[in-house]
Every structure is written in structure tokens, then in C-alpha cells.
Amino acid sequence: MGDAQAAGEGPRCVGCGGRVKTLFVQYSPGNIRLMKCDKCKAVADPYIECEFMIILIDLVLHKTRAYRHVLFNKLSMGSSVDKGILYRSTLIHIALDAFRISFSKGNRADGASSRSIFSTISNCTEVIGDALLGNIIFMIMLLLGVRFILKLSFDIIRYRDVLFAVIISSYFKLFLFTMMVWEFPSSVIFIVEMFVLSSNVVALRVVSQFPKAHCFAVCLLAHAAKYLTQ
């Protein structure tokens, strides 16, 4: 019977964002009926029957419907299910930032190939330290922006949801992995980061339901603070 109910807020309609009891009813394997939202009277989540590539394309196009599907219905944001996902995603996020910093420093060093073991270890430690510091500053400024720009009252669960949405919406950082295989100009990093910024804005807007300009100001503040520290 239906979609697995989360212990927290439960699934959402991807159209209006309203809560729904269940997304579909399953009569038999492969035979389901999508449920409609009581608020907007539309099908609550048509993405259930879509292929992954369709969802990914809509995410790249920054469609709020796709973000609601992934955050609320797929990853069960607002429930205990997302805690492990948040921790793993944060580690991956920091690792990708460390790779970005390492790549940038490698370009500035003009590809010096002969390094001692000590200098290599020292460089790795510095890169990881920069990535950790940058992300700590990023999270602090993000939560401060949410508190003072969006005027959200202090709520640990609500703030965790904001952090979860922003980390997950930074998925395009995974493109940096391709730079290990193929050569790209350093300008690609800037393009990736601008895409991540815009994706963060959409995710924050979906979670907070605040105007796009306010969400942009919060995300821009957090990203700017991170890059200034790095």
C-alpha cells in the first residue's frame, strides 16, 4: 500500500508543496495508481513513474518540482532517514572541495612534478584544512543568513533541513571527478561553482518557501565567505 511513510513530515506534492498522506497506491507488482493532492487537485508526484534521466534533466533545468521530488519524496527530508545521507553527503562535499582546491593550487604551481614525501603530505594537510575551514565558514554563514535574512526562528531540525537541501543540491560538484580523467581549463571550476550556487538557491527556496531574491542573498553570502577564507 502506497509510498513508505516517513517518520517526519511525510511526502509532499511536487506542484504546490503541500503535504499528502501517500503518493501512490499499489494494487499489485507493477500496478500502481498515483494519488492526487487534496490542495491543488493535481497528481502529487508524477516523477514516480519517470526514468532517472528525466528527473536529472529537470534538476539541471532547476525545476522546483524535481527538487521537491528528490528532497521530500525520494530522500525523505524531515525524517530520521536523511541523517545518514546528510553525513555522507557532507563528507563527499568536503572531499570535492578539497579536490577543487588541490586542482587550483596545482595550476598555480605550474605542474611541478618533483616533490618529496614530506611536501606532499604537507600539501595534502593544507588542502584538507582549507576545505574543512571553508565549509565550516560556509555552514555558519548559511545558517546566519537563514536566521537574519530569512528571519527563520531558531529550530535545529529546520536548520538541519536547510543544510541537507543545500548539500544535496550541490550535486553538480560531482562533475569535478571528470577532471581526474579529462583535461579541462580552470574556468570550468568557476562554471561548476556558479551552477552549484544557482542550484542551492532553488533548493533553499523549496525548503524555506521564501522569495528567490532572499534565498540568493543567503547563498551568495555563504559562498562568498567560503571563498574568501580559502
Side-chain angles (χ1 to χ4, degrees):
M1 175 81 187
D3 203 308
Q5 279 289 97
E9 293 188 349
R12 298 284 189 99
C13 170
V14 299
C16 67
R19 295 186 179 91
V20 294
K21 293 181 179 179
T22 186
L23 298 174
F24 64 87
V25 176
Q26 182 172 355
Y27 298 106
S28 61
N31 182 18
I32 65 173
R33 179 167 67 90
L34 299 181
M35 305 301 291
K36 291 186 176 181
C37 172
D38 293 333
K39 185 177 180 181
C40 67
K41 308 303 179 184
V43 173
D45 191 353
Y47 285 108
I48 290 174
E49 294 185 323
C50 292
E51 298 291 337
F52 171 75
M53 286 305 300
I54 299 296
I55 300 173
L56 181 60
I57 290 171
D58 280 358
L59 286 173
V60 172
L61 294 175
H62 290 3
K63 292 188 177 181
T64 55
R65 295 165 60 89
Y67 279 79
R68 288 195 184 103
H69 166 76
V70 171
L71 293 174
F72 291 110
N73 301 339
K74 195 70 175 178
L75 299 180
S76 304
M77 191 183 73
S79 72
S80 58
V81 178
D82 71 350
K83 290 182 180 178
I85 299 173
L86 174 60
Y87 299 147
R88 291 192 296 270
S89 299
T90 301
L91 289 175
I92 294 173
H93 188 269
I94 294 173
L96 289 170
D97 266 350
F99 173 75
R100 174 184 57 79
I101 295 170
S102 176
F103 181 84
S104 299
K105 288 186 175 182
N107 280 351
R108 289 198 297 268
D110 199 21
S113 57
S114 58
R115 289 181 179 177
S116 65
I117 296 177
F118 177 78
S119 63
T120 301
I121 295 175
S122 175
N123 183 62
C124 289
T125 304
E126 182 183 356
V127 166
I128 294 173
D130 286 347
L132 283 172
L133 177 61
N135 277 278
I136 290 172
I137 296 297
F138 173 79
M139 293 174 189
I140 291 174
M141 296 306 295
L142 177 69
L143 298 183
L144 286 176
V146 168
R147 177 68 181 89
F148 294 105
I149 297 179
L150 300 188
K151 305 294 185 181
L152 289 183
S153 58
F154 182 76
D155 184 345
I156 293 178
I157 296 177
R158 187 75 181 274
Y159 281 22
R160 183 172 64 88
D161 288 347
V162 168
L163 185 59
F164 178 84
V166 170
I167 294 295
I168 293 298
S169 64
S170 301
Y171 63 90
F172 207 70
K173 281 180 178 287
L174 294 171
F175 180 81
L176 296 174
F177 279 130
T178 62
M179 302 181 76
M180 298 180 182
V181 181
W182 296 291
E183 290 187 6
F184 291 97
S186 57
S187 59
V188 171
I189 294 180
F190 176 77
I191 296 172
V192 169
E193 293 301 325
M194 288 299 99
F195 187 93
V196 169
L197 171 62
S198 61
S199 182
N200 290 164
V201 172
V202 177
L204 183 58
R205 187 185 178 196
V206 165
V207 174
S208 66
Q209 298 181 350
F210 274 82
K212 187 180 294 184
H214 292 70
C215 296
F216 176 76
V218 172
C219 293
L220 182 63
L221 174 68
H223 279 272
K226 179 173 73 171
Y227 289 111
L228 287 175
T229 58
Q230 293 175 348

